[in-house]
Amino acid sequence: MTDADAFETFVRNYQDLVYGLAVRLLGNASDAEDVAQTVFLKAYERFEAIGPSPTAGGWLKTVTTHLCLNHLTRYRARWRFFSELGRVDAEGHEEPYEASLAADATPAVDLETADRQARLEASLQGLPAHQRVPLVLFHFEQYSYQAIAEALGVSLGKVKTDIHRGREALRRQLADDDAH
Amino acid sequence: MPTDRDTIVHDALTALPAPRAPRSLLPRVMAAVAQPRRPWYERAWMTWPVGWQAASLMAVAGAAWTLVASWPALAAAGDVASAAAVSSAAPAVRLMDAAVAALSTVAVLHRALAPALAVAAALVLTMSATCALAGAALARMALGGASRS
């Protein structure tokens, strides 16, 4: 196996992990793809060390989080809405964001559950960045409140408030789903 | 302490399937990787190898120290050079004097001949206009207005 083949396998193995974290932190598919590409280019530069390492996933997550936070800091004023989360595939067709979530659904998975999850994911993506980012770091990346406060450079109280408000918004979404 | 409501949200979030990478990501990454990398010295200084960064810093510091240390000698050399330049510039000064004299002569001639030049210019313009009118009249008579069609 050549280096290029090995690296392609590496990207295949980790692309969902990197992209999934980026799109949840950034709330934007296009920016997430750009960040994911940058992460893999950084990985390529030190592939000899990272490629065979069992901690490659952790390294990729750390770099992805760091790049996403930098990106959000740089483009803080620029807001995107969930309606822009559609992505264009290789043939130029627009792929709805929900399609990528439902695509994993096997026949065994209830369609209603998949639909509910897609709506919850949409709600998560639709949260403002100051609520979404700490929420994602806390629930998906197991960061502590203190670690989030340090990573974002904000007070511990603000982190707790933002996570609480984000959770409340998602809980309302879940309650609405249950009511229907 | 997490409340039940927090737990519900946490469970719902952690049950979400991970978003899948778009199909375009892998080709994009592999295409970017396939591009030949620029040599280190053509990239931003921050991305240079540490050894070369240190060497370049030392080179810049050395150049700055050399400049500061040799400043008196450079200043003295500058004085000598400017004195030599003054002495070697005598032919240029003579040439400049000749050019100034020639321009003065042209100015005097212009003042003397300006009224005559104005009359001559008016005469040339009048003659040109007369010729143009005569030509147009002749063409109209010869073609009988056919050109108007």
Side-chain angles (χ1 to χ4, degrees):
Chain A
M1 186 183 270
T2 65
D3 283 351
D5 291 338
F7 185 68
E8 185 170 342
T9 305
F10 178 83
V11 176
R12 276 187 202 284
N13 288 341
Y14 288 107
Q15 60 179 352
D16 288 346
L17 178 145
V18 170
Y19 175 82
L21 176 57
V23 78
R24 279 178 173 156
L25 284 172
L26 297 174
N28 179 278
S30 172
D31 291 349
E33 195 173 345
D34 289 344
V35 166
Q37 177 176 343
T38 307
V39 170
F40 282 118
L41 289 182
K42 284 182 181 293
Y44 183 72
E45 287 175 358
R46 52 192 77 180
F47 185 56
E48 284 180 10
I50 292 168
S53 168
T55 59
W59 185 88
L60 289 169
K61 278 187 168 188
T62 303
V63 174
T64 304
T65 304
H66 182 69
L67 288 178
C68 286
L69 295 184
N70 276 352
H71 184 92
L72 286 169
T73 305
R74 201 174 302 153
Y75 301 106
R76 195 183 289 275
R78 201 178 63 182
W79 272 111
R80 302 285 178 86
F81 293 96
F82 176 69
S83 57
E84 293 181 0
L85 275 174
R87 55 169 80 131
V88 178
D89 63 17
E91 288 80 36
H93 300 119
E94 186 85 9
E95 181 183 359
Y97 179 68
E98 290 85 344
S100 71
L101 304 172
D104 276 341
T106 62
V109 176
D110 186 13
L111 265 180
E112 192 179 331
T113 304
D115 194 39
R116 192 167 183 260
Q117 289 180 331
R119 283 198 297 276
L120 180 61
E121 183 78 39
S123 297
L124 175 65
Q125 305 290 338
L127 290 175
H130 66 274
Q131 292 176 5
R132 186 184 63 246
V133 171
L135 206 62
V136 168
L137 292 177
F138 184 84
H139 287 289
F140 293 104
E141 302 305 317
Q142 289 80 46
Y143 275 47
S144 65
Y145 287 131
Q146 185 63 44
I148 295 170
E150 286 168 9
L152 301 182
V154 297
S155 69
L156 192 61
K158 177 166 170 50
V159 169
K160 288 180 177 175
T161 305
D162 286 341
I163 288 180
H164 175 74
R165 288 181 180 160
R167 271 198 206 121
E168 281 301 301
L170 297 181
R171 194 187 54 75
R172 281 195 295 274
Q173 170 69 48
L174 291 170
D176 285 350
D177 281 348
D178 289 341
H180 288 109
Chain B
M1 284 290 291
T3 64
D4 285 346
R5 298 197 313 187
D6 293 344
T7 308
I8 290 169
V9 174
H10 178 78
D11 290 347
L13 285 175
T14 49
L16 286 177
R20 288 195 318 157
R23 277 167 286 178
S24 53
L25 179 60
L26 180 64
R28 268 182 66 170
V29 171
M30 296 313 293
V33 163
Q35 286 179 353
R37 293 193 64 203
R38 290 184 299 166
W40 60 268
Y41 51 83
E42 288 185 11
R43 287 183 262 140
W45 183 84
M46 292 295 290
T47 64
W48 285 13
V50 177
W52 283 108
Q53 283 182 334
S56 63
L57 278 178
M58 282 193 289
V60 169
W65 182 84
T66 305
L67 189 66
V68 170
S70 59
W71 184 250
L74 286 175
D79 290 344
V80 171
S82 56
V86 168
S87 63
S88 66
V93 171
R94 281 197 295 275
L95 191 63
M96 185 68 80
D97 288 344
V100 169
L103 282 175
S104 301
T105 306
V106 169
V108 169
L109 285 174
H110 177 262
R111 276 200 295 275
L113 299 176
L117 285 174
V119 171
L123 188 62
V124 168
L125 282 174
T126 306
M127 288 171 68
S128 300
T130 306
C131 286
L133 284 171
L138 278 172
R140 186 165 186 152
M141 286 169 60
L143 300 173
S147 63
R148 266 198 200 172
S149 61

